[in-house]
Amino acid sequence: MNKPVILTGIRSNEEPTLANYLGAFVPIVQMQKQYAGEYQINMFVPDLHSFTTPIDHQNLYQNTLNNLKYFIAAGLDLDNPDTFVYRQSHISAHSELTWILDCFTYVGEMGRMTQFKEKNGESSESVTMGLFNYPVLMAADILLYNATYVPVGEDQFQHLEITRDIATRFNNKFGEIFTVPLSTKEQTEFMKRDKGLRIRSLTDPTKKMSKSSDDDKSKILLVDAPDEAAKKIMSATTDSVGVVNFDWDAQPGITSLLQVLALLTDRSQEEVNAEWVGTTNYGDFKKAVADAVASFLEDFQARLRSIDDEALHEKLSVSESAMGEIANATLLRAQKAVGLRPRD
Ligand code: TYM
């Protein structure tokens, strides 16, 4: 099994949003279709990452399974023998490697992570060690499987870069133990994008759409009723310019909607812009986006209802066993390097 590895994950802390769908589900499904046979695809749910901020633990187990179903509803083909789906906590090497990497990661580096700084700024009393240490666990997720390609949204770029730093530092000290994933620039090229994807909040388009936001109107959930989702789009914050333009700085709300429309209707940004840029009726434009969102959700939710739970469980069991072996082999290399196991 020496194919290049594409790997990504989605936490099961909250219901995923349209931004998660466009930022992570769609790219991996497209890659599976495009590169079938040439690459190994690892799609996992980082369930240990899912309570770095408080959640309702009653729902965690089921939410983790639901996330996997969302991937299938998004088009991931379980029959593909090069595709593996698994849960992070079911492969204990993730936690074990994290500890080793922790001892080669500096507190100063972690303190500079934007996501940590933002949450720490909100309420430093309740910020946990888990949140602080989150990027190191993410580095373990990636390095255990020798992943080269890690399709993620722009908000995860900093974590990907720190993964490269940790891996390079470890390799410099101990020899070629880890595969260093590609830089975010190279990842973006691989995803055939000109920059990282950052779908905006519907109520404050200067911010990203976030599944952990308390403001229900700021996000479209994949389980939202299609007509409710359409209403959220119709009431999305835009601007008072009065002309549709693709301009992230001056009109981030309108621009984000143009982007969502292109991505959901599988058309190029140029094509969608040619249709709408210069028009002056925001209501008509929003209606087109609202219709696209509602029709996407209808199709997606119908696919979700038809998923065969048994097939998912079978795939999980095969994948967790196969990936456990690969993860343990990498872990052993790291254990030997640091002297926890005898060197050959
Ligand atoms: P998470 O669960 O917050 O988000 C899952 C994926 O959705 C992307 N995303 C977005 N993309 C575009 N616009 C947005 N507004 C937006 N919001 C979220 C994220 O970039 C991500 O791709 N730490 C990760 C999970 C993780 C992981 C990994 C990912 C853990 N280990 C290893 C890849 C490889 C996270 O919290 O994603």
Side-chain angles (χ1 to χ4, degrees):
M1 227 192 295
N2 275 332
K3 296 179 177 166
V5 176
I6 306 176
L7 175 147
T8 201
I10 295 211
R11 285 179 302 154
S12 44
N13 52 335
E14 307 276 351
E15 284 292 345
T17 64
L18 184 64
N20 298 132
Y21 176 81
L22 296 172
F25 290 57
V26 170
I28 200 124
V29 169
Q30 280 175 347
M31 286 176 188
Q32 190 195 44
K33 291 203 172 95
Q34 196 174 347
Y35 300 123
E38 288 171 63
Y39 290 77
Q40 178 186 318
I41 305 230
N42 282 29
M43 211 321 290
F44 77 108
V45 180
D47 48 356
L48 292 168
H49 271 117
S50 302
F51 49 102
T52 51
T53 48
I55 57 157
D56 180 352
H57 288 266
Q58 285 253 314
N59 301 331
L60 179 59
Y61 190 78
Q62 189 56 45
N63 282 353
T64 300
L65 289 173
N66 287 350
N67 264 15
L68 293 160
K69 290 188 196 173
Y70 292 148
F71 266 96
I72 303 168
L76 195 78
D77 173 14
L78 288 190
D79 292 334
N80 180 323
D82 294 323
T83 296
F84 297 90
V85 294
Y86 53 95
R87 294 158 292 184
Q88 182 189 43
S89 75
H90 289 244
I91 299 176
S92 60
H94 289 252
S95 302
E96 295 179 70
L97 184 61
T98 299
W99 179 260
I100 296 178
L101 298 180
D102 269 341
C103 298
F104 298 91
T105 307
Y106 299 110
V107 168
E109 294 178 297
M110 291 295 104
R112 284 196 290 277
M113 295 290 109
T114 309
Q115 281 207 344
F116 169 74
K117 279 201 298 195
E118 278 172 4
K119 298 225 163 72
N120 196 31
E122 281 165 21
S123 55
S124 69
E125 275 303 291
S126 56
V127 166
T128 64
M129 283 303 296
L131 184 69
F132 188 64
N133 204 22
Y134 166 135
V136 185
L137 177 57
M138 182 159 163
D141 297 339
I142 296 168
L143 300 177
L144 279 174
Y145 302 96
N146 315 308
T148 309
Y149 304 99
V150 186
V152 284
E154 189 229 43
D155 62 322
Q156 297 299 321
F157 279 9
Q158 213 183 9
H159 299 155
L160 198 51
E161 289 298 344
I162 202 81
T163 300
R164 285 165 48 82
D165 292 347
I166 297 171
T168 306
R169 183 177 305 147
F170 201 91
N171 285 352
N172 285 344
K173 194 168 169 69
F174 297 110
E176 291 303 301
I177 308 293
F178 298 126
T179 301
V180 181
L182 293 183
S183 68
T184 49
K185 185 170 172 289
E186 290 162 315
Q187 304 281 355
T188 310
E189 283 162 10
F190 184 69
M191 285 196 269
K192 303 200 170 48
R193 292 210 172 116
D194 50 4
K195 65 184 186 117
L197 191 65
R198 186 164 184 258
I199 304 292
R200 307 301 174 95
S201 152
L202 297 177
T203 47
D204 178 357
T206 60
K207 298 204 172 118
K208 69 168 184 173
M209 184 184 288
S210 164
K211 61 170 137 53
S212 52
S213 163
D214 293 333
D215 180 1
D216 193 43
K217 288 207 170 114
S218 72
K219 55 189 180 182
I220 305 279
L221 301 181
L222 295 177
V223 291
D224 273 348
D227 55 336
E228 288 303 317
K231 279 190 207 146
K232 291 186 193 175
I233 298 285
M234 293 308 290
S235 64
T237 302
T238 51
D239 54 66
S240 54
V241 175
V243 182
V244 172
N245 283 306
F246 192 85
D247 181 341
W248 285 111
D249 294 326
Q251 293 179 255
I254 288 285
T255 306
S256 187
L257 292 180
L258 280 166
Q259 186 178 48
V260 166
L261 186 58
L263 291 168
L264 276 187
T265 54
D266 209 13
R267 286 184 292 164
S268 71
Q269 196 63 62
E270 291 71 31
E271 196 185 324
V272 166
N273 290 359
E275 190 179 345
W276 289 102
V277 166
T279 61
T280 53
N281 189 330
Y282 282 8
D284 285 350
F285 169 56
K286 280 178 160 179
K287 175 86 175 44
V289 183
D291 286 349
V293 168
S295 107
F296 154 70
L297 285 178
E298 258 161 43
D299 292 351
F300 181 82
Q301 291 167 6
R303 286 198 297 274
L304 200 58
R305 284 190 292 274
S306 69
I307 287 168
D308 174 358
D309 281 5
E310 213 171 299
L312 171 60
H313 280 101
E314 261 169 45
K315 183 76 180 180
L316 271 177
S317 143
V318 171
S319 297
E320 283 169 359
S321 151
M323 290 302 103
E325 276 181 32
I326 295 192
N328 284 338
T330 309
L331 176 65
L332 184 60
R333 284 205 304 277
Q335 288 170 326
K336 284 181 179 172
V338 299
L340 291 169
R341 298 287 182 275
R343 294 199 178 166
D344 301 323

